Amino acid sequence: RLKWEPRPEIVDTKKNVTLFAFIDNFLNERTGGKRGTEKVLYTWATLLKQFSMERYQRLVNYDEVDNEFLNAFKNWCYAEPRKHSINYFAKGLTVLRQFMREAERRKYHNSRDYMFFGVKRTPTTKLALTFDELEALYQLDLANYAPGMVKARDLFLIGAYTGLRFSDFSRIRPEWLEVRDGQKILNVVTQKTDTSVSVPLFPIAEQLLEKYGFNVPKVHNAKMNESLKELGKMAGLDKNMIVINTAGGKRNDEGKKQYEILSTHVARRSFATNFYREGIPASMLMQITGHTTERQFMNYIKIGSKENAVRFATMQAQKGKGLTVIKPAVNQ
């Protein structure tokens, strides 16, 4: 004999996945992804949790991520002891939008305020050394200086002639070297993005790498940056620069010398800027720098609009196109 039983209630489990439960699951799914990207996601997930607990004494959910949330989060990021910069906060909003967008795609919520979150980024100070300035570093007599200074100078120049990040040029090994069609290249799987790039090996970088048997010495990034400032001063890198600082969300410009802001990252920007000036197409350089759009690349290098206009005209003059006067027709 059949016994009637009530139909079990269908529970929509998607509605039970809260914002921070989703974020935790999302981060776990991405284990083994691009290392630099993962670090950024984890950092901002942690900051969002800290803010939520301090502001609301609990973890907020999707429908609470609105304009009021945005303003409170911004003020929290800019306040002591964090005092994050405007551009750093803008990156955080990019991550928050990514979390919300992916959760919406999975039908965990239908809140849309996050789509309008944004903050205007401020221009950053871009330092790129010319080939002449790199040569000045190369010619420094460091015979009476500590080995750390020599290593810092050598590694910086290796970076400036390969376009690699510190995380990559500081771990070059012999097995990365390949000779292809008579040209020496370095085959690198980048640490930050886990992508493969092939870099031409130019004479100065090759000479310095041979000095170390293609096993570059270990140098701590922070210590190397300290040494570079001293090296830059010795090499006469003392042009005045305006440094833009937006700590705590407030812009404060100050004047500094080149050597005062010299760092390992300047090597990579110098590579991209110098070889673009030499006429190497952006598309070719992007295969080394890893930029995915030409707009990203042009924002990265240090080429002013006036310099770009002169370069444009010079290249066209060399081709002999667009610069000759065309005589009008007789009846014109």
Side-chain angles (χ1 to χ4, degrees):
R1 189 175 179 180
L2 296 176
K3 182 181 179 182
W4 179 86
E5 292 182 357
R7 179 179 295 177
E9 181 182 356
I10 298 175
V11 178
D12 187 354
T13 56
K14 289 183 177 181
K15 291 183 180 179
N16 296 327
V17 180
T18 62
L19 171 59
F20 284 96
F22 160 72
I23 290 175
D24 289 340
N25 292 335
F26 181 65
L27 294 177
N28 289 333
E29 290 171 5
R30 295 175 61 92
T31 302
K34 296 179 180 179
R35 298 176 187 174
T37 301
E38 305 313 308
K39 183 177 180 180
V40 171
L41 295 179
Y42 274 99
T43 297
W44 280 100
T46 301
L47 287 172
L48 284 165
K49 286 182 180 179
Q50 290 175 351
F51 164 70
S52 184
M53 294 304 297
E54 288 186 26
R55 168 80 177 184
Y56 303 93
Q57 287 75 54
R58 59 182 173 79
L59 296 178
V60 299
N61 215 342
Y62 306 104
D63 59 342
E64 297 174 281
V65 181
D66 53 16
N67 196 57
E68 181 182 342
F69 176 94
L70 169 64
N71 289 329
F73 185 45
K74 179 170 64 175
N75 292 334
W76 183 84
C77 286
Y78 289 163
E80 296 277 7
R82 291 160 297 277
K83 295 196 70 175
H84 294 315
S85 69
I86 293 173
N87 290 352
Y88 190 70
F89 177 70
K91 180 63 178 178
L93 289 189
T94 301
V95 173
L96 176 58
R97 289 197 301 270
Q98 181 180 354
F99 289 151
M100 293 290 290
R101 183 170 57 249
E102 180 59 22
E104 183 184 11
R105 188 187 70 80
R106 300 186 190 192
K107 296 183 170 52
Y108 294 153
H109 74 94
N110 56 11
S111 299
R112 308 303 298 276
D113 287 1
Y114 76 90
M115 295 178 63
F116 304 98
F117 286 0
V119 62
K120 186 176 181 181
R121 292 176 180 264
T122 57
T124 56
T125 303
K126 298 177 182 177
L127 172 60
L129 302 185
T130 65
F131 282 131
D132 287 342
E133 290 168 334
L134 293 174
E135 180 71 19
L137 281 172
Y138 182 65
Q139 295 295 341
L140 285 176
D141 182 1
L142 302 177
N144 296 323
Y145 287 83
M149 290 283 283
V150 179
K151 294 174 184 176
R153 188 271 308 274
D154 291 351
L155 262 67
F156 180 84
L157 290 173
I158 289 169
Y161 284 97
T162 61
L164 296 173
R165 298 181 182 87
F166 173 83
S167 58
D168 295 321
F169 71 68
S170 61
R171 60 188 182 91
I172 293 175
R173 295 294 176 265
E175 55 268 25
W176 293 12
L177 180 64
E178 177 186 356
V179 179
R180 191 177 186 88
D181 297 330
Q183 299 294 326
K184 293 182 179 180
I185 61 175
L186 292 175
N187 296 312
V188 185
V189 177
T190 62
Q191 190 171 75
K192 180 178 180 180
T193 61
D194 200 30
T195 55
S196 298
V197 298
S198 294
V199 181
L201 193 55
F202 295 109
I204 289 181
E206 181 181 1
Q207 183 185 52
L208 292 171
L209 285 169
E210 286 179 344
K211 174 180 176 180
Y212 298 103
F214 280 82
N215 280 292
V216 295
K218 297 292 183 183
V219 178
H220 193 277
N221 196 348
K223 184 63 178 176
M224 181 170 167
N225 284 335
E226 289 181 15
S227 298
L228 285 173
K229 290 169 176 55
E230 187 174 346
L231 289 163
K233 188 174 184 179
M234 292 165 56
L237 306 180
D238 55 3
K239 292 179 184 175
N240 292 323
M241 303 279 296
I242 298 297
V243 177
I244 301 171
N245 180 23
T246 62
K250 296 180 180 179
R251 178 166 172 167
N252 178 32
D253 298 354
E254 59 179 321
K256 289 195 174 184
K257 302 290 186 181
Q258 283 175 302
Y259 67 83
E260 293 181 282
I261 60 173
L262 192 58
S263 68
T264 56
H265 190 75
V266 173
R268 178 172 158 82
R269 179 175 282 118
S270 299
F271 171 90
T273 303
N274 286 329
F275 284 104
Y276 182 77
R277 283 174 174 152
E278 290 291 303
I280 304 300
S283 58
M284 190 175 292
L285 288 167
M286 285 163 57
Q287 292 189 47
I288 296 174
T289 63
H291 291 94
T292 54
T293 68
E294 191 161 335
R295 180 180 179 182
Q296 282 181 338
F297 178 80
M298 294 306 297
N299 284 335
Y300 178 75
I301 63 177
K302 191 178 186 300
I303 299 287
S305 59
K306 293 180 181 179
E307 181 181 350
N308 194 58
V310 172
R311 183 175 179 273
F312 189 117
T314 301
M315 291 176 68
Q316 287 302 106
Q318 291 171 348
K319 294 179 180 179
K321 295 180 180 180
L323 297 176
T324 56
V325 177
I326 300 175
K327 294 182 180 180
V330 175
N331 296 328
Q332 186 170 331

